Amino acid sequence: MDRVVGAAMFGNEDGEHVGTAYFYQERMPLPALDGSDPPTMFITDAHYVFPSGTITVTGANPVMDLPSLPQQTHAYTIAGGTGVFAGARGELVAETLEDGRRRQMLNLDCD
């Protein structure tokens, strides 16, 4: 199993720094049913830290070992938060854009 631990600063649509994401990913092989190379999944836990609180995200997505990363979209579950995000639920949608950049959107339901 491969593990990735990291952090990344992120910004809003205007490019202003608004927080930092801390993440842990574990790459898990899945059984190949047809004798080919087995597909894999990334199990992800992340914490998005803002000045006013944190948002906790968890989920899994398939890993595609291709020479060039295709345009992809993955959804993750928002499992909670602290501060103004206490009790948060919803989803984080992560997508790869046509130009190769990544965009993540938080869709929140807060108590």
Side-chain angles (χ1 to χ4, degrees):
M1 261 183 273
D2 297 328
R3 292 182 179 99
V4 177
V5 177
M9 294 190 314
F10 59 91
N12 60 21
E13 291 178 345
D14 297 326
E16 299 167 323
H17 175 250
V18 295
T20 305
Y22 299 91
F23 59 89
Y24 172 86
Q25 293 181 311
E26 193 161 320
R27 185 175 174 150
M28 303 187 68
L30 301 174
L33 303 177
D34 62 1
S36 65
D37 288 337
T40 58
M41 294 287 285
F42 260 128
I43 308 301
T44 302
D45 290 310
H47 301 280
Y48 289 77
V49 180
F50 299 90
S52 56
T54 64
I55 296 172
T56 300
V57 175
T58 189
N61 65 286
V63 175
M64 301 181 71
D65 293 320
L66 300 174
S68 62
L69 185 65
Q71 195 171 350
Q72 299 181 45
T73 301
H74 302 290
Y76 301 89
T77 300
I78 294 174
T82 65
V84 299
F85 304 110
R89 296 288 183 263
E91 72 175 1
L92 175 137
V93 177
E95 57 186 347
T96 303
L97 305 175
E98 288 182 20
D99 63 6
R101 292 180 301 132
R102 301 269 298 155
R103 175 173 52 198
Q104 297 183 356
M105 295 171 288
L106 295 163
N107 302 311
L108 298 173
D109 296 319
C110 295
D111 292 340

